[in-house]
């Protein structure tokens, strides 16, 4: 792997760049980003070797497309038009249905692999990039059969070297499931943060009482609105369905408290403790 172009040199793209450089020290990592200060930071931090632009990618062996999902829809056609027949393009966006539909009939569809690495943090930009981010994490691959076989093999070899487990899923199922395990968690964290911030205006002391439970539950509320707004927009129907179910559960919990039915509340929580076994199973 000689020429690697990362479009969007933030948390995910930057972390990929660090791992690829470790695995392939002789490769040249080119960074492309609409934010000049991010490109500068990535260069200073040795995440990229050179700054580049999309017009340069004709010599790419590998292109990682790691920009917000609305921006990906806008530029993926141009990216595919400019690559060579041998280039592998890996998209890492958090929604997959609209993206896969958009590129379905592109003449270079077979050069692209649609993925969603289930790895990340609440931080963004190149300063948030970390070596080994993808180790022991799951990578969801959509419509693998639409990618040329030899390019699939190259991608799977790289994911193996990054330490990732692979799950195959169709884009519709991906967007439905991810709404529950990722998108809803972010909304609930953002709204928990909002609820407490609104209260804090009058009661400063509340933060002295906020222990690690609050901190871990509200962690995702630090996430980037630039990244999350287009995700909620693209996955609107699934997000609305999860919100309906979540709000119904919250209302039910409230009714039980109002009715002093603490027996039922105990059992609600006891049943939900089952999450321990579920999460242990996927550790
Ligand atoms: P990030 O840290 O904000 O990095 C994205 C970078 O792309 C930023 O520097 C951004 O600049 C730049 N950018 C935005 N539009 C661009 C364009 N049209 N052309 C070139 N550069 C552009 O975001 P991230 O967390 O790495 O996320 C990148 C992708 O990975 C997203 O599609 C996201 O859904 C997906 N993903 C994220 C996670 C996660 O946990 N963060 C996990 C899995 C997948 P500005 O900041 O100036 O906009």
């Amino acid at each position: 792997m000689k020429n690697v172009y990362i479009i969007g040199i933030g948390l995910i793209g930057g972390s990929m760049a660090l791992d690829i450089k470790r695995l392939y020290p002789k490769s040249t990592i080119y960074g492309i980003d609409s934010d000049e200060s991010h490109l500068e930071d990535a260069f200073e931090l040795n995440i990229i070797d050179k700054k580049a632009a999309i017009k340069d990618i004709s010599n790419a062996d590998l292109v990682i497309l790691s920009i917000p999902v609305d921006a990906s829809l806008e530029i993926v056609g141009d990216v595919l038009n400019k690559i060579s027949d041998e280039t592998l393009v890996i998209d890492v966006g958090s929604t997959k249905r609209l993206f896969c539909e958009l590129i379905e009939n592109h003449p270079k569809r077979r050069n692209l692999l649609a993925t969603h690495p289930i790895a990340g943090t609440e931080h963004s930009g190149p300063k948030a990039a970390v070596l080994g981010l993808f180790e022991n994490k799951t990578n969801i691959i959509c419509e693998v059969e639409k990618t040329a076989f030899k390019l699939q093999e190259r991608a799977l070899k790289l994911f193996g070297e990054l330490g990732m487990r692979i799950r195959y899923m169709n884009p519709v199922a991906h967007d439905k499931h991810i709404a529950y395990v990722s998108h809803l968690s972010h909304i609930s964290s953002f709204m928990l943060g909002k609820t407490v911030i609104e209260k804090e205006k009058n009661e400063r002391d509340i933060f002295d009482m906020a222990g690690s439970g609050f901190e871990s539950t509200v962690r995702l509320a630090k996430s980037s609105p630039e990244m999350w707004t287009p995700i909620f927009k693209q996955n609107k129907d699934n997000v609305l369905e999860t919100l309906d179910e979540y709000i119904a559960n919250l209302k039910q919990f409230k009714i039980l408290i109002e009715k002093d039915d603490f027996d039922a509340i105990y059992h609600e929580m006891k049943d939900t403790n089952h999450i321990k076994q579920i999460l242990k199973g996927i550790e």
Side-chain angles (χ1 to χ4, degrees):
M1 192 142 42
K2 257 172 68 186
N3 295 319
V4 178
Y5 285 77
I6 313 275
I7 306 177
I9 194 81
L11 167 68
I12 299 294
S15 300
M16 284 259 175
L18 287 172
D19 273 343
I20 291 170
K21 193 70 182 180
R22 173 178 57 88
L23 293 161
Y24 300 93
K26 289 188 179 148
S27 62
T28 303
I29 312 276
Y30 296 87
I32 299 175
D33 203 292
S34 54
D35 188 329
E36 188 56 37
S37 72
H38 281 179
L39 266 185
E40 202 47 55
D41 288 344
F43 187 70
E44 294 290 314
L45 293 163
N46 288 322
I47 296 173
I48 59 170
D49 299 307
K50 291 183 181 166
K51 299 177 195 173
I54 289 184
K55 65 176 171 44
D56 305 324
I57 64 175
S58 58
N59 71 345
D61 298 301
L62 171 66
V63 176
I64 307 278
L65 187 58
S66 49
I67 57 179
V69 292
D70 52 345
S72 291
L73 294 185
E74 279 168 28
I75 73 162
V76 62
D78 192 29
V79 170
L80 290 175
N81 289 339
K82 290 195 164 60
I83 54 168
S84 81
D85 289 343
E86 311 304 317
T87 308
L88 167 65
V89 179
I90 298 176
D91 162 67
V92 299
S94 303
T95 49
K96 294 266 79 81
R97 184 182 62 83
L98 277 176
F99 184 82
C100 287
E101 280 174 9
L102 181 78
I103 54 167
E104 180 149 25
N105 296 316
H106 193 286
K108 289 256 176 67
R109 172 65 185 89
R110 294 182 67 69
N111 291 72
L112 186 137
L113 188 68
T115 76
H116 180 193
I118 309 298
T121 69
E122 66 277 27
H123 305 298
S124 52
K127 288 181 179 163
V130 280
L131 197 65
L133 179 70
F134 306 101
E135 181 85 39
N136 292 323
K137 300 288 171 20
T138 298
N139 200 2
I140 299 174
I141 297 181
C142 293
E143 299 187 330
V144 68
E145 70 288 352
K146 294 190 177 168
T147 306
F149 188 66
K150 65 175 186 185
L151 296 180
Q152 285 179 35
E153 282 187 323
R154 270 174 50 195
L156 289 175
K157 178 170 178 288
L158 175 63
F159 298 148
E161 290 164 339
L162 294 174
M164 303 196 87
R165 292 182 291 265
I166 303 298
R167 281 287 306 270
Y168 296 97
M169 215 174 263
N170 74 60
V172 172
H174 166 274
D175 284 10
K176 189 173 179 63
H177 295 308
I178 209 72
Y180 282 89
V181 292
S182 170
H183 303 178
L184 180 61
S185 323
H186 279 79
I187 295 171
S188 88
S189 187
F190 275 118
M191 289 305 101
L192 172 64
K194 174 183 156 95
T195 309
V196 177
I197 287 167
E198 284 174 351
K199 188 74 182 163
E200 189 261 352
K201 278 180 198 147
N202 308 320
E203 296 182 35
R204 246 239 87 79
D205 289 350
I206 201 162
F207 281 108
D208 294 334
M209 297 167 66
S212 61
F214 174 72
E215 211 176 317
S216 60
T217 318
V218 88
R219 176 179 66 84
L220 298 175
K222 298 181 210 160
S223 303
S224 149
E226 284 77 14
M227 187 184 122
W228 280 98
T229 308
I231 291 175
F232 298 145
K233 187 175 172 191
Q234 288 190 12
N235 207 19
K236 176 180 166 182
D237 291 347
N238 289 316
V239 167
L240 284 176
E241 191 181 313
T242 66
L243 273 175
D244 280 343
E245 291 166 25
Y246 187 51
I247 290 166
N249 279 330
L250 285 176
K251 280 187 178 155
Q252 172 62 13
F253 204 84
K254 183 175 176 229
I255 289 168
L256 293 177
I257 292 183
E258 280 167 351
K259 290 197 316 195
D260 286 324
D261 193 349
F262 292 100
D263 228 24
I265 284 189
Y266 174 87
H267 286 292
E268 284 273 22
M269 293 190 291
K270 191 80 189 156
D271 292 347
T272 311
N273 278 163
H274 177 53
I275 202 84
K276 283 186 212 166
Q277 278 79 48
I278 296 174
L279 291 178
K280 210 169 181 182
I282 60 168
E283 265 169 15

